[in-house]
mmCIF file of all heavy atoms in Angstrom:
data_model
loop_
_atom_site.group_PDB
_atom_site.id
_atom_site.type_symbol
_atom_site.label_atom_id
_atom_site.label_comp_id
_atom_site.label_asym_id
_atom_site.label_seq_id
_atom_site.Cartn_x
_atom_site.Cartn_y
_atom_site.Cartn_z
ATOM 1 N N ILE A 42 7.806 -17.012 -20.680
ATOM 2 C CA ILE A 42 7.608 -15.588 -20.392
ATOM 3 C C ILE A 42 6.316 -15.056 -21.013
ATOM 4 O O ILE A 42 6.085 -13.844 -21.044
ATOM 5 C CB ILE A 42 8.815 -14.757 -20.858
ATOM 6 C CG1 ILE A 42 9.107 -14.949 -22.333
ATOM 7 C CG2 ILE A 42 10.040 -15.089 -20.031
ATOM 8 C CD1 ILE A 42 10.273 -14.095 -22.819
ATOM 9 N N THR A 62 2.686 -10.521 -19.746
ATOM 10 C CA THR A 62 4.042 -10.418 -20.285
ATOM 11 C C THR A 62 4.185 -11.229 -21.558
ATOM 12 O O THR A 62 3.542 -12.262 -21.741
ATOM 13 C CB THR A 62 5.097 -10.910 -19.270
ATOM 14 O OG1 THR A 62 4.906 -12.305 -19.008
ATOM 15 C CG2 THR A 62 5.023 -10.139 -17.975
ATOM 16 N N TRP A 63 5.012 -10.743 -22.435
ATOM 17 C CA TRP A 63 5.479 -11.472 -23.614
ATOM 18 C C TRP A 63 6.898 -10.965 -23.881
ATOM 19 O O TRP A 63 7.343 -10.023 -23.195
ATOM 20 C CB TRP A 63 4.540 -11.276 -24.800
ATOM 21 C CG TRP A 63 4.392 -9.884 -25.324
ATOM 22 C CD1 TRP A 63 5.034 -9.321 -26.382
ATOM 23 C CD2 TRP A 63 3.492 -8.865 -24.840
ATOM 24 N NE1 TRP A 63 4.621 -8.031 -26.586
ATOM 25 C CE2 TRP A 63 3.676 -7.723 -25.656
ATOM 26 C CE3 TRP A 63 2.560 -8.804 -23.796
ATOM 27 C CZ2 TRP A 63 2.974 -6.543 -25.460
ATOM 28 C CZ3 TRP A 63 1.871 -7.633 -23.595
ATOM 29 C CH2 TRP A 63 2.075 -6.515 -24.436
ATOM 30 N N PRO A 64 7.659 -11.572 -24.754
ATOM 31 C CA PRO A 64 9.076 -11.222 -24.885
ATOM 32 C C PRO A 64 9.316 -9.720 -25.010
ATOM 33 O O PRO A 64 8.829 -9.072 -25.934
ATOM 34 C CB PRO A 64 9.513 -11.974 -26.142
ATOM 35 C CG PRO A 64 8.641 -13.188 -26.142
ATOM 36 C CD PRO A 64 7.303 -12.694 -25.638
ATOM 37 N N GLY A 65 10.033 -9.183 -24.033
ATOM 38 C CA GLY A 65 10.420 -7.782 -24.053
ATOM 39 C C GLY A 65 9.411 -6.808 -23.499
ATOM 40 O O GLY A 65 9.673 -5.597 -23.479
ATOM 41 N N THR A 66 8.261 -7.275 -23.019
ATOM 42 C CA THR A 66 7.188 -6.348 -22.649
ATOM 43 C C THR A 66 6.410 -6.850 -21.433
ATOM 44 O O THR A 66 6.186 -8.046 -21.281
ATOM 45 C CB THR A 66 6.207 -6.153 -23.817
ATOM 46 O OG1 THR A 66 6.935 -5.757 -24.986
ATOM 47 C CG2 THR A 66 5.172 -5.090 -23.506
ATOM 48 N N LEU A 67 5.993 -5.901 -20.593
ATOM 49 C CA LEU A 67 5.025 -6.163 -19.524
ATOM 50 C C LEU A 67 3.961 -5.080 -19.578
ATOM 51 O O LEU A 67 4.282 -3.888 -19.703
ATOM 52 C CB LEU A 67 5.682 -6.160 -18.141
ATOM 53 C CG LEU A 67 4.733 -6.374 -16.943
ATOM 54 C CD1 LEU A 67 5.418 -7.173 -15.833
ATOM 55 C CD2 LEU A 67 4.227 -5.036 -16.362
ATOM 56 N N THR A 77 2.456 0.191 -20.055
ATOM 57 C CA THR A 77 3.253 -0.835 -20.718
ATOM 58 C C THR A 77 4.729 -0.477 -20.628
ATOM 59 O O THR A 77 5.112 0.673 -20.856
ATOM 60 C CB THR A 77 2.834 -0.972 -22.191
ATOM 61 O OG1 THR A 77 1.467 -1.416 -22.251
ATOM 62 C CG2 THR A 77 3.708 -1.985 -22.916
ATOM 63 N N PHE A 78 5.548 -1.473 -20.292
ATOM 64 C CA PHE A 78 6.980 -1.280 -20.098
ATOM 65 C C PHE A 78 7.759 -2.232 -21.011
ATOM 66 O O PHE A 78 7.375 -3.396 -21.162
ATOM 67 C CB PHE A 78 7.375 -1.571 -18.646
ATOM 68 C CG PHE A 78 6.590 -0.803 -17.617
ATOM 69 C CD1 PHE A 78 5.334 -1.242 -17.204
ATOM 70 C CD2 PHE A 78 7.105 0.356 -17.055
ATOM 71 C CE1 PHE A 78 4.604 -0.540 -16.245
ATOM 72 C CE2 PHE A 78 6.381 1.068 -16.102
ATOM 73 C CZ PHE A 78 5.132 0.621 -15.704
ATOM 74 N N SER A 79 8.851 -1.749 -21.567
ATOM 75 C CA SER A 79 9.711 -2.583 -22.413
ATOM 76 C C SER A 79 11.165 -2.308 -22.070
ATOM 77 O O SER A 79 11.597 -1.149 -22.071
ATOM 78 C CB SER A 79 9.474 -2.276 -23.897
ATOM 79 O OG SER A 79 8.143 -2.573 -24.272
ATOM 80 N N ARG A 80 11.897 -3.385 -21.774
ATOM 81 C CA ARG A 80 13.310 -3.194 -21.459
ATOM 82 C C ARG A 80 14.151 -4.432 -21.781
ATOM 83 O O ARG A 80 15.179 -4.350 -22.417
ATOM 84 C CB ARG A 80 13.477 -2.822 -19.978
ATOM 85 C CG ARG A 80 14.930 -2.702 -19.513
ATOM 86 C CD ARG A 80 15.662 -1.607 -20.260
ATOM 87 N NE ARG A 80 17.019 -1.424 -19.786
ATOM 88 C CZ ARG A 80 18.069 -2.123 -20.211
ATOM 89 N NH1 ARG A 80 17.891 -3.075 -21.135
ATOM 90 N NH2 ARG A 80 19.269 -1.886 -19.739
ATOM 91 N N CYS A 81 13.717 -5.620 -21.319
ATOM 92 C CA CYS A 81 14.520 -6.828 -21.505
ATOM 93 C C CYS A 81 13.602 -7.997 -21.857
ATOM 94 O O CYS A 81 12.374 -7.868 -21.830
ATOM 95 C CB CYS A 81 15.344 -7.140 -20.256
ATOM 96 S SG CYS A 81 14.354 -7.403 -18.777
ATOM 97 N N GLU A 82 14.181 -9.122 -22.181
ATOM 98 C CA GLU A 82 13.413 -10.281 -22.651
ATOM 99 C C GLU A 82 12.329 -10.678 -21.665
ATOM 100 O O GLU A 82 11.176 -10.867 -22.029
ATOM 101 C CB GLU A 82 14.363 -11.459 -22.913
ATOM 102 C CG GLU A 82 13.699 -12.699 -23.483
ATOM 103 C CD GLU A 82 13.296 -12.561 -24.948
ATOM 104 O OE1 GLU A 82 13.574 -11.492 -25.554
ATOM 105 O OE2 GLU A 82 12.714 -13.518 -25.491
ATOM 106 N N ASP A 83 12.698 -10.827 -20.412
ATOM 107 C CA ASP A 83 11.725 -11.208 -19.377
ATOM 108 C C ASP A 83 11.559 -10.032 -18.431
ATOM 109 O O ASP A 83 12.409 -9.768 -17.578
ATOM 110 C CB ASP A 83 12.197 -12.439 -18.606
ATOM 111 C CG ASP A 83 11.152 -12.927 -17.591
ATOM 112 O OD1 ASP A 83 10.101 -12.272 -17.454
ATOM 113 O OD2 ASP A 83 11.398 -13.959 -16.944
ATOM 114 N N MET A 84 10.460 -9.328 -18.556
ATOM 115 C CA MET A 84 10.255 -8.131 -17.757
ATOM 116 C C MET A 84 10.025 -8.429 -16.272
ATOM 117 O O MET A 84 10.180 -7.529 -15.444
ATOM 118 C CB MET A 84 9.087 -7.320 -18.323
ATOM 119 C CG MET A 84 9.412 -6.633 -19.639
ATOM 120 S SD MET A 84 10.800 -5.451 -19.506
ATOM 121 C CE MET A 84 10.052 -4.173 -18.502
#
Side-chain angles (χ1 to χ4, degrees):
I42 57 178
T62 64
W63 63 97
T66 306
L67 178 145
T77 297
F78 306 82
S79 298
R80 176 62 177 86
C81 60
E82 183 73 2
D83 184 357
M84 288 300 291

